[in-house]
């Protein structure tokens, strides 16, 4: 049986752990970084349902988008991010921490053949990259977007747009290895602020 003193000590430890978690997940400002699941994320926008974020650095080693396909919806990289990384984030934050969002797979030349899909973890599109470029400094590696160069109706199912180290957008073959910067929405519910407690 636990003594009153032991109970008090355990309660103090729990309160200290709770305070640390609250500090860790306080409401961030746009442009700031937060750490979740061992990854530093840059907050790009505050949306109705949560915070739009992109990894501030690269997630793991360079890898292929897919072997033969520039369609994000059926790519190997999408499968990896929406299983392995999604699980890693949810293990830390719990189910419901990631908000599903629609991805527009519009190609650079305006083809809509790939339509849209819904992700929990994704990559940024070229249009989103342009919108949030001010928060995304140049890097030392090329990195993937989800934007295909064109689609099979124009005899192109393998070329995509990537961001170069200096920040301009170029096309590259889906089977090449490039950096990966996951892009997702963290639910507002995981963040606390001191004002919420008042």
């Amino acid at each position: 049986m636990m003594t009153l003193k032991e109970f008090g000590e355990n309660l103090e430890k729990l309160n200290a752990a709770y305070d640390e978690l609250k500090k860790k997940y306080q409401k961030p400002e746009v442009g700031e970084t937060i750490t979740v699941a061992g990854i530093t994320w840059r907050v790009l926008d505050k949306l109705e349902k949560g915070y739009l974020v992109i990894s501030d650095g690269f997630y793991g080693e360079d890898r292929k988008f897919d072997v033969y396909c520039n369609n994000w919806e059926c790519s190997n990289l999408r499968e990896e991010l929406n299983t392995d990384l999604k699980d890693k984030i949810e293990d830390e934050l719990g189910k419901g921490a990631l908000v599903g969002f629609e991805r527009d797979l519009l190609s650079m030349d305006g083809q809509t053949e790939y339509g849209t899909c819904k992700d929990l973890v994704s990559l940024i599109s070229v249009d989103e990259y342009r919108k949030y470029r001010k928060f995304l400094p140049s890097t030392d590696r090329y990195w993937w977007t989800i934007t295909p160069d064109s689609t099979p109706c124009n005899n192109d199912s393998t070329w995509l747009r990537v961001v170069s180290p200096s920040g301009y957008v170029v096309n590259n073959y889906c089977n090449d290895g490039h950096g990966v910067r996951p892009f997702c929405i963290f639910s507002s519910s995981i963040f606390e602020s001191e004002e919420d407690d008042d």
Side-chain angles (χ1 to χ4, degrees):
M1 180 139 203
M2 188 181 296
T3 67
L4 189 56
K5 181 180 177 187
E6 290 170 331
F7 179 79
E9 289 169 355
N10 286 341
L11 187 59
E12 280 182 34
K13 288 177 187 175
L14 284 171
N15 283 333
Y18 176 71
D19 289 342
E20 279 302 306
L21 277 174
K22 280 179 59 179
K23 284 181 203 166
K24 186 175 181 180
Y25 297 119
Q26 286 188 356
K27 290 182 181 175
E29 296 295 325
V30 171
E32 291 181 346
T33 60
I34 55 174
T35 302
V36 172
I39 300 168
T40 301
W41 303 87
R42 182 155 307 272
V43 178
L44 300 179
D45 211 344
K46 171 69 173 93
L47 307 174
E48 185 179 328
K49 293 183 179 179
Y51 293 83
L52 183 68
V53 299
I54 190 169
S55 66
D56 205 39
F58 295 102
Y59 177 61
E61 299 297 316
D62 285 1
R63 46 205 179 281
K64 300 171 184 179
F65 185 89
D66 193 78
V67 179
Y68 301 113
C69 182
N70 66 356
N71 182 350
W72 171 249
E73 188 170 16
C74 60
S75 70
N76 294 333
L77 190 52
R78 178 178 186 244
E79 174 69 21
E80 176 192 343
L81 295 181
N82 279 279
T83 54
D84 299 346
L85 182 54
K86 175 191 78 72
D87 292 348
K88 187 176 179 181
I89 292 167
E90 289 181 340
D91 283 348
E92 180 171 320
L93 300 178
K95 296 272 188 205
L98 290 166
V99 177
F101 63 127
E102 188 171 275
R103 311 304 294 129
D104 187 351
L105 305 179
L106 177 71
S107 69
M108 277 303 288
D109 66 348
Q111 298 299 329
T112 58
E113 185 175 355
Y114 291 156
T116 62
C117 65
K118 192 168 183 177
D119 285 337
L120 289 173
V121 183
S122 192
L123 297 179
I124 202 167
S125 71
V126 168
D127 288 338
E128 291 160 338
Y129 172 72
R130 280 194 291 255
K131 181 176 180 179
Y132 298 113
R133 173 65 169 116
K134 64 185 172 188
F135 300 117
L136 300 168
S138 298
T139 63
D140 61 350
R141 289 153 64 184
Y142 286 85
W143 49 284
W144 293 113
T145 74
I146 62 167
T147 303
D149 213 40
S150 191
T151 60
C153 70
N154 276 346
N155 298 317
D156 180 0
S157 60
T158 56
W159 292 89
L160 287 120
R161 290 294 161 149
V162 297
V163 179
S164 74
S166 58
Y168 60 89
V169 177
V170 298
N171 65 340
N172 218 296
Y173 185 59
C174 65
N175 199 21
D176 288 341
H178 293 302
V180 175
R181 296 184 73 181
F183 181 68
C184 56
I185 300 173
F186 291 137
S187 171
S188 298
S189 66
I190 67 171
F191 296 102
E192 305 239 8
S193 73
E194 292 172 8
E195 297 83 47
D196 291 340
D197 296 335
D198 293 340

